[in-house]
Amino acid sequence: MNPARRPMIAGNWKMNAGGADGCDLATGVARVAAEHDSVDVLVAPPYTALAAVSHALSEDKSDLAVAAQNMHFEEAGAYTGEVSASMLKVAGASWVILGHSERRQLFGETDELVAQKMTAAFGAGLAPIVCIGELLEEREAGQTLAVVTRQLKAVLDELGGNPGLGVVAYEPVWAIGTGKVASPEDAQEVHAHIRGLLSEASADLGRDTRILYGGSMKGTNAEGLLGQADIDGGLIGGASLKADGFGKIIEVASKLAQQEKKD
Ligand code: PEP
């Protein structure tokens, strides 16, 4: 297995578990993750719980990583209600989710804005997880590959001298929070296309960038998806809100990683 593409299982809590419940959830996840050291596990609490969750994890001596769900691209200033990349770092985040479809759809984020945020994240030493994915009508119109190409190229064009892209998450919008999961074959087709685009940009990017699948992943459907050649992990919403359900996905990723080591 390419060590740069160790499996990653990331939990996006969205606007949930923002208080003491977030600390309980994170320490519950950390207990499961500690038994599966071939998987990188990450949780993304709301802003209000970032510092407390980071603190609880370090008290527990856990190496679970903490991500923010969004950020502003400016460093500081008159942006009421916004939070910058360096503030997230101070709160204990090492990752940030950018361009989630809920940000794009509900808050009007554009490809260009996502690219701007990615540059600011790198500048502050935060690793981005850049989300891309098509709407249902785009899939039905046969535009899936064109849409993800447009979204990915916007960030690739901004990469400049950065050695890596962080992580890409392919999240078909019609699969997010709907219970409708992409088939492993359909997801793999898009992931292979994304890897091809990364390879066109640079051989290293194609070889080493982790591409996560997101959209109604849970313990019962994770194996088919995570077993695909170009699916390096999962970004999980609903099923990340219970430590045992999220733990099942971590267990599946760990089992597949062990099998791959033996093959
Ligand atoms: C997400 O919000 O990134 C996500 C994949 O949600 P869910 O797992 O609930 O579909």
Side-chain angles (χ1 to χ4, degrees):
M1 186 202 292
N2 173 355
R5 284 175 54 197
R6 276 166 57 84
M8 173 182 272
I9 299 297
N12 173 17
W13 297 355
K14 311 194 187 198
M15 202 166 70
N16 299 292
D21 50 348
C23 294
D24 293 343
L25 177 54
T27 50
V29 171
R31 269 192 287 281
V32 186
E35 289 163 29
H36 300 285
D37 59 7
S38 54
V39 182
D40 288 340
V41 182
L42 181 157
V43 290
Y47 291 138
T48 51
L50 276 176
V53 163
S54 302
H55 182 71
L57 290 172
S58 71
E59 294 266 284
D60 254 20
K61 307 215 172 346
S62 164
D63 53 12
L64 207 71
V66 175
Q69 301 172 17
N70 180 35
M71 54 171 261
H72 196 275
F73 61 85
E74 289 289 0
E75 177 54 30
Y79 300 99
T80 302
E82 293 291 337
V83 177
S84 73
S86 58
M87 293 171 185
L88 298 176
K89 279 240 39 157
V90 170
S94 47
W95 291 84
V96 61
I97 298 171
L98 297 177
H100 189 279
S101 68
E102 287 151 17
R103 299 294 320 166
R104 292 178 190 262
Q105 286 194 285
L106 304 175
F107 302 97
E109 293 201 5
T110 60
D111 294 342
E112 292 66 34
L113 182 66
V114 175
Q116 228 174 341
K117 290 185 179 195
M118 181 193 68
T119 305
F122 277 131
L126 276 183
I129 298 175
V130 176
C131 301
I132 59 178
E134 80 287 2
L135 302 168
L136 182 60
E137 51 271 34
E138 290 167 335
R139 172 157 283 263
E140 286 173 349
Q143 293 167 349
T144 299
L145 300 184
V147 170
V148 298
T149 301
R150 191 202 73 225
Q151 293 172 327
L152 187 64
K153 286 224 158 135
V155 290
L156 285 174
D157 288 349
E158 281 290 313
L159 257 190
N162 269 304
L165 173 62
V167 165
V168 177
Y170 167 59
E171 300 206 298
V173 180
W174 48 269
I176 296 181
T178 58
K180 285 189 205 143
V181 67
S183 71
E185 298 71 26
D186 284 350
Q188 166 58 23
E189 185 195 355
V190 183
H191 280 239
H193 175 76
I194 293 169
R195 195 167 302 290
L197 293 169
L198 293 166
S199 300
E200 271 172 31
S202 103
D204 289 356
L205 273 185
R207 190 190 55 230
D208 293 342
T209 304
R210 284 184 283 197
I211 310 173
L212 313 183
Y213 167 82
S216 297
M217 188 186 274
K218 44 186 195 266
T220 47
N221 60 28
E223 187 156 358
L225 290 157
L226 296 176
Q228 299 297 311
D230 290 297
I231 301 185
D232 304 311
L235 178 56
I236 294 108
S240 71
L241 292 173
K242 294 253 162 53
D244 54 350
F246 191 53
K248 294 252 167 13
I249 304 175
I250 298 169
E251 281 164 21
V252 171
S254 171
K255 186 183 88 177
L256 290 170
Q258 300 311 321
Q259 279 171 1
E260 204 179 315
K261 273 190 206 148
K262 279 189 225 133
D263 291 344

